[in-house]
Amino acid sequence: MEMGQLTSLKYLILNNNLLSGPIPVEVANLSLLEVLYLHSNHLTGSIPNNVGQLTALSLLYLYENSL
């Protein structure tokens, strides 16, 4: 299953996991997402514009990356 298919997901906590590369644009498909922790990884690039479509999102932690 791909991350974008987890449409009922409310919490995605993936900090300190050595993730690298850009934030997947599919994250915008997680319309019920309230918490997204991606801090302390090796993510690069920019924050996808469609992350702004996550209207339920109340916590977004991206620090300690190369964004």
Side-chain angles (χ1 to χ4, degrees):
M1 181 176 289
E2 294 183 19
M3 179 176 58
Q5 296 175 326
L6 302 172
T7 54
S8 296
L9 196 67
K10 291 187 178 189
Y11 303 93
L12 182 58
I13 301 174
L14 295 172
N15 55 296
N16 295 306
N17 276 289
L18 301 174
L19 300 176
S20 62
I23 297 172
V25 294
E26 293 83 8
V27 75
N29 295 338
L30 309 176
S31 58
L32 299 179
L33 196 65
E34 297 175 9
V35 174
L36 178 57
Y37 289 176
L38 294 174
H39 62 86
S40 304
N41 282 295
H42 301 286
L43 298 173
T44 58
S46 58
I47 301 168
N49 289 335
N50 55 4
V51 169
Q53 297 171 0
L54 298 173
T55 56
L57 193 65
S58 60
L59 292 173
L60 173 63
Y61 290 172
L62 297 173
Y63 61 89
E64 292 184 7
N65 282 293
S66 296
L67 298 171

